């Protein structure tokens, strides 16, 4: 009798394993010509010479897959156009071009000549990879040294997410960075904050993104403290998709 129970248990376990299918990258990053997602974008910017307070600009952006192409290495890829407008009533204006590819093991996105590894299999909680590995952050004169050595990690898998009036049932969160250097509460000392996180919804794509980088420079020679001009924050929240 015990042997029969053991056999039945093994059969049940095998059935559960056989029924489970690891999601494909395309499930969370669809790349089909005509596919688009529209976001509200809240962009925090500081003055060119730096300041203590920034200005937030709110507008809409739309990313639309335009055509199947090949990248510089001859790999199949997709060209993505970004459009921008100030309000619902405004006309869309094309303002940037991106390149995305899915090779079955990872999804890469070329944005402003930077190549990011946005997603990577397997979709399991805690899985991590170097998402900025293709970006040169080692130069002493680089403005992007803060992107060095970021560990992209699946923080949550198959979780629901509410975005204003929209609710998506199945998302994955890619935690990219949550770093504080120094003491941001001390106006007399240097501090730096780096934060990045993205959420992808099954069947839709990127639905939420927040990226923030600040460098606070303390006062010198009787002056006032300020944030370096390269400090910024940007938040994308999906408002529409097809």
């Amino acid at each position: 009798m015990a042997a029969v129970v053991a056999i039945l248990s093994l059969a049940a376990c095998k059935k559960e394993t056989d029924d489970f299918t690891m999601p494909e990258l395309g499930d969370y990053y669809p790349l089909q010509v005509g596919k688009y997602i529209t976001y509200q974008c809240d962009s925090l910017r500081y003055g060119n010479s730096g300041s203590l307070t920034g200005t937030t600009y709110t507008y809409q952006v739309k990313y639309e897959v335009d055509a199947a192409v090949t990248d510089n290495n001859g790999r199949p890829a997709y060209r993505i156009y970004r459009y921008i407008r100030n309000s619902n009533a405004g006309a869309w204006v094309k303002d940037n071009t991106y390149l995305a590819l899915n090779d079955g093991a990872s999804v890469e996105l070329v944005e402003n000549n930077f190549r990011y590894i946005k997603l990577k299999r397997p979709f399991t909680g805690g899985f991590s990879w170097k998402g900025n590995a293709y970006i040169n952050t080692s130069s002493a004169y680089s403005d992007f040294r803060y992107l060095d050595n970021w560990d992209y990690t699946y923080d949550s898998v198959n979780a629901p997410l509410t975005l204003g009036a929209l609710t998506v049932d199945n998302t994955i969160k890619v935690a990219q960075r949550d770093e504080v250097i120094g003491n941001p509460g001390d106006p007399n000392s240097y501090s730096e904050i780096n934060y990045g996180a993205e959420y992808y919804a099954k069947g839709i794509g990127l639905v939420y993104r927040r990226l923030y980088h600040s460098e606070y420079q303390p006062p010198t020679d009787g002056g006032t403290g300020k944030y370096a001009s390269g400090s910024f924050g940007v938040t994308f929240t999906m408002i529409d998709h097809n």
Side-chain angles (χ1 to χ4, degrees):
M1 181 64 179
V4 173
V5 172
I7 291 172
L8 291 175
S9 298
L10 288 172
C13 291
K14 186 176 186 300
K15 178 67 163 57
E16 290 181 6
T17 302
D18 290 344
D19 287 345
F20 176 75
T21 301
M22 178 65 68
E24 298 294 334
L25 290 166
D27 293 339
Y28 288 97
Y29 208 108
L31 288 171
Q32 296 96 27
V33 174
K35 169 69 177 175
Y36 72 82
I37 305 179
T38 305
Y39 306 90
Q40 174 178 301
C41 179
D42 299 304
S43 178
L44 172 65
R45 300 293 173 179
Y46 293 86
N48 291 333
S49 59
S51 65
L52 269 176
T53 58
T55 302
T56 298
Y57 302 91
T58 298
Y59 48 94
Q60 292 182 0
V61 294
K62 178 171 69 172
Y63 291 79
E64 183 171 0
V65 181
D66 172 67
V69 295
T70 55
D71 71 357
N72 292 335
N73 297 315
R75 298 180 298 174
Y78 286 86
R79 181 173 62 225
I80 299 173
Y81 286 147
R82 186 178 76 177
Y83 300 85
I84 187 171
R85 67 182 180 183
N86 292 327
S87 66
N88 289 331
W92 287 111
V93 177
K94 184 170 68 177
D95 81 324
N96 212 338
T97 304
Y98 302 81
L99 196 70
L101 65 92
N102 172 1
D103 65 5
S106 63
V107 169
E108 298 178 11
L109 178 71
V110 180
E111 177 181 4
N112 298 325
N113 295 320
F114 283 0
R115 185 181 296 273
Y116 299 89
I117 306 172
K118 288 295 188 176
L119 297 175
K120 199 171 180 68
R121 295 192 76 198
F123 292 115
T124 56
F127 179 71
S128 181
W129 68 98
K130 300 295 183 182
N132 301 342
Y134 292 117
I135 300 174
N136 180 11
T137 59
S138 60
S139 171
Y141 302 101
S142 172
D143 293 329
F144 305 99
R145 296 181 69 187
Y146 68 91
L147 292 174
D148 185 57
N149 203 37
W150 282 28
D151 289 309
Y152 287 30
T153 305
Y154 290 131
D155 180 86
S156 61
V157 179
N158 299 330
L161 180 67
T162 299
L163 302 166
L166 299 177
T167 299
V168 287
D169 296 328
N170 186 330
T171 70
I172 54 174
K173 177 185 176 181
V174 181
Q176 300 171 335
R177 194 72 153 185
D178 192 357
E179 175 185 51
V180 178
I181 299 172
N183 180 9
D186 181 1
N188 295 308
S189 66
Y190 174 88
S191 63
E192 182 177 339
I193 299 175
N194 297 303
Y195 180 86
E198 295 180 338
Y199 289 79
Y200 294 84
K202 191 171 185 180
I204 300 175
L206 178 70
V207 295
Y208 181 85
R209 179 191 187 196
R210 181 170 177 244
L211 180 63
Y212 180 81
H213 163 67
S214 71
E215 293 182 45
Y216 175 76
Q217 300 170 342
T220 57
D221 301 326
T224 59
K226 62 182 180 181
Y227 287 100
S229 58
S231 301
F232 74 97
V234 64
T235 301
F236 290 87
T237 305
M238 184 188 72
I239 55 177
D240 185 34
H241 71 92
N242 66 352

